[in-house]
Amino acid sequence: MAALGPPLRTLRALLRELRYASGHGGRPYRRAPAYRHVLAAFRAHRVTSEKLCRAQQELHFQAATYLCLLRSVREHAALHQEYHGKGERSPEEVAGLVGFRLPQQPGGKG
C-alpha cells in the first residue's frame, strides 16, 4: 500500500474537493453537513496527550479513499462535459468530418 501522507494534507484536500463539489450555490460550503462531519471526525480521531486513538489510521485511509472518489467524480464530469457527443449529425456534416462530399442531386436540389 502506498503511503498516505500527513493527515492534515488529506483533510485540506478533502475540504477543497467538498468546496468544488458544492459549486457556487446559495449557501457557503462551510455550512454543509458534509463539511461539518469531516471536521468533527478528524477532531474526534486526532492523537492527544490524554489518549491514543487506534482508529486514526482507519479514518485517514477512509478520508483518502473518499478524497479519491470526489476527485474522480469531478474529473469525470469535466471530461464528460468536454467530450460528450453533440447529438445526431446530418449526413452532410458526417461526410465532411471524414473528408467526403455528398453528390449533388440533378435539377438543383441540394
Side-chain angles (χ1 to χ4, degrees), residues 17-18 21 23 29 53 68 81 84 86 90 96 100 102-104 106:
E17 288 297 325
L18 285 174
Y29 73 98
C53 180
C68 180
Q81 180 71 24
H84 184 65
K86 304 291 189 246
S90 67
F100 294 123
L102 292 180
Q104 297 292 323

Side-chain angles (χ1 to χ4, degrees), residues 24-42:
H24 301 289
R27 66 181 195 181
Y29 73 98
R30 290 180 187 225
R31 291 186 185 169
Y35 180 87
R36 290 190 304 235
H37 174 72
V38 167
L39 280 181
F42 265 87

Side-chain angles (χ1 to χ4, degrees), residues 21-95:
S22 70
H24 301 289
R27 66 181 195 181
Y29 73 98
R30 290 180 187 225
R31 291 186 185 169
Y35 180 87
R36 290 190 304 235
H37 174 72
V38 167
L39 280 181
F42 265 87
R43 285 182 182 138
H45 289 84
R46 70 178 169 211
V47 177
T48 63
S49 60
E50 292 125 21
K51 67 175 184 172
L52 176 65
C53 180
R54 295 174 193 249
Q56 182 186 20
Q57 294 299 325
E58 294 175 23
L59 175 77
H60 190 193
F61 180 74
Q62 287 178 353
T65 304
Y66 189 55
L67 172 63
C68 180
L69 171 74
L70 287 176
R71 278 186 184 156
S72 298
V73 166
R74 180 175 50 88
E75 290 171 0
H76 169 73
L79 288 173
H80 184 73
Q81 180 71 24
E82 184 174 348
Y83 294 109
H84 184 65
K86 304 291 189 246
E88 185 103 12
R89 297 177 189 240
S90 67
E92 294 83 12
E93 190 177 356
V94 172

